[in-house]
């Protein structure tokens, strides 16, 4: 009974931690969250327009594979601004389904949620590196409030592409620790898939300069030991 109680407390603690990591970006960016100020740049005219166009046509039973509004027309599904194949992006259609509309404020909330994804992924990665709780938790909160991450919120595709970078690092680190190979594979696969489909090609190119060197370096036992990644390596891995 005592063991079950401890497990429940541990689960509630983890849930509270993840909840705080997810909510903090919305609290920190309260002027945007509350719609007191609006996002500028291309946020409305390019990114939101595509999402609104796609969701409204889908709601009418039309799959918008083609956009006739640019030049003589172009394939909409291959336009990175449309973010057509980004699975988390389809939450906008669910919002439209519930509210019968998709507003600029709804889309801004969706964009800010990328910081929540980044924050949780960063925390999990740091904890997998055996970083103590408070440094990992604090660093994750601070990182998602950095000028660079908050600055790219005006580019929703870039914000969501960057959100999955720490998740890939988390999956690679988990694999390097020889822990749960199936889970680490799925984390790496889907996180990188989301980066590829988030609709910001620049970050796809940048990712190779981060993930490949990190994977290469972390594959060495000496580096893993320095980072305290794996204190219980089986003899065959030593």
């Amino acid at each position: 009974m005592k063991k079950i109680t401890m497990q429940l407390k541990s689960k509630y603690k983890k849930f509270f931690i993840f909840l705080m990591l997810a909510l903090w970006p919305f609290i920190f960016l309260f002027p945007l969250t509350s719609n007191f100020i609006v996002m500028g740049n291309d946020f409305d005219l390019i990114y939101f327009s595509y999402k609104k166009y796609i969701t409204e046509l889908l709601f009418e039973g039309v799959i918008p594979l083609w956009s006739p509004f640019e030049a003589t027309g172009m394939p909409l599904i291959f336009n990175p601004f449309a973010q057509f194949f980004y699975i988390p992006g389809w939450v906008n259609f669910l919002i439209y389904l519930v509210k019968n509309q998709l507003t600029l404020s709804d889309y801004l909330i969706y964009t800010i949620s990328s910081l929540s994804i980044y924050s949780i992924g960063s925390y999990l990665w740091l904890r997998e590196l055996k970083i103590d709780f408070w440094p990992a938790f604090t660093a994750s909160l601070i990182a998602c409030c950095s000028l660079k991450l908050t600055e790219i919120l005006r580019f929703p595709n870039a914000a969501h592409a960057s959100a999955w970078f720490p998740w890939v690092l988390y999956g690679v680190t988990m694999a390097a620790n020889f822990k749960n190979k199936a889970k680490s594979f799925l984390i790496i696969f889907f996180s990188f898939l989301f980066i590829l489909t988030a609709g910001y090609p620049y970050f796809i190119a940048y990712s190779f300069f981060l993930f490949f060197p990190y994977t290469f370096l972390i594959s060495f036992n000496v580096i893993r030991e320095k980072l305290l990644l794996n204190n219980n390596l089986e003899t065959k891995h030593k």
Side-chain angles (χ1 to χ4, degrees):
M1 187 67 181
K2 185 177 180 181
K3 185 178 180 181
I4 296 175
T5 304
M6 291 292 290
Q7 289 176 344
L8 286 174
K9 286 183 178 179
S10 178
K11 288 182 179 180
Y12 285 132
K13 181 181 178 180
K14 287 181 179 179
F15 174 77
F16 180 74
I17 291 169
F18 292 146
L19 183 64
M20 285 297 298
L21 290 169
L23 292 179
W24 173 243
F26 295 97
I27 298 172
F28 180 76
L29 297 170
F30 182 75
L32 288 173
T33 306
S34 62
N35 210 30
F36 182 75
I37 59 176
V38 295
M39 189 65 69
N41 205 269
D42 297 328
F43 187 87
D44 184 358
L45 296 178
I46 295 182
Y47 296 97
F48 175 66
S49 297
Y50 276 111
K51 276 292 182 285
K52 190 173 178 63
Y53 173 69
I54 291 172
T55 52
E56 287 182 350
L57 283 181
L58 285 173
F59 193 73
E60 295 295 328
V62 178
I63 300 178
L65 303 178
W66 182 265
S67 174
F69 301 109
E70 299 173 64
T72 57
M74 63 179 296
L76 182 64
I77 59 174
F78 297 124
N79 187 332
F81 291 123
Q83 209 182 49
F84 202 89
F85 296 105
Y86 181 60
I87 298 173
W90 288 97
V91 70
N92 292 285
F93 177 72
L94 297 178
I95 294 173
Y96 193 95
L97 198 63
V98 173
K99 299 180 60 178
N100 202 30
Q101 64 174 341
L102 180 68
T103 66
L104 197 62
S105 178
D106 295 329
Y107 191 58
L108 182 56
I109 295 296
Y110 157 76
T111 305
I112 296 174
S113 71
S114 65
L115 297 180
S116 300
I117 297 171
Y118 184 97
S119 182
I120 294 173
S122 178
Y123 171 79
L124 291 172
W125 173 44
L126 293 175
R127 292 295 285 161
E128 190 64 29
L129 285 171
K130 301 299 185 290
I131 304 297
D132 290 338
F133 167 73
W134 281 112
F137 183 74
T138 306
S140 300
L141 292 180
I142 293 173
C144 73
C145 300
S146 66
L147 179 61
K148 183 56 184 176
L149 286 178
T150 54
E151 185 267 339
I152 61 173
L153 288 176
R154 57 200 174 100
F155 306 125
N157 292 15
H160 272 272
S162 65
W164 297 102
F165 272 63
W167 284 88
V168 175
L169 297 175
Y170 170 51
V172 171
T173 308
M174 183 185 293
N177 273 337
F178 304 104
K179 291 168 56 179
N180 204 330
K181 294 180 180 179
K183 181 179 179 181
S184 59
F185 169 77
L186 290 174
I187 291 173
I188 296 170
F189 175 81
F190 280 104
S191 299
F192 197 68
L193 175 66
F194 293 157
I195 293 173
L196 291 175
T197 58
Y200 205 73
Y202 301 103
F203 284 0
I204 298 174
Y206 300 160
S207 69
F208 291 105
F209 294 97
L210 173 63
F211 299 145
F212 284 154
Y214 182 81
T215 304
F216 175 74
L217 292 173
I218 210 172
S219 64
F220 293 100
N221 287 342
V222 175
I223 294 179
R224 284 201 300 271
E225 291 170 2
K226 290 290 184 181
L227 293 175
L228 302 178
L229 294 178
N230 203 329
N231 296 321
N232 298 306
L233 285 174
E234 297 179 10
T235 305
K236 64 180 180 179
H237 294 306
K238 290 184 178 180

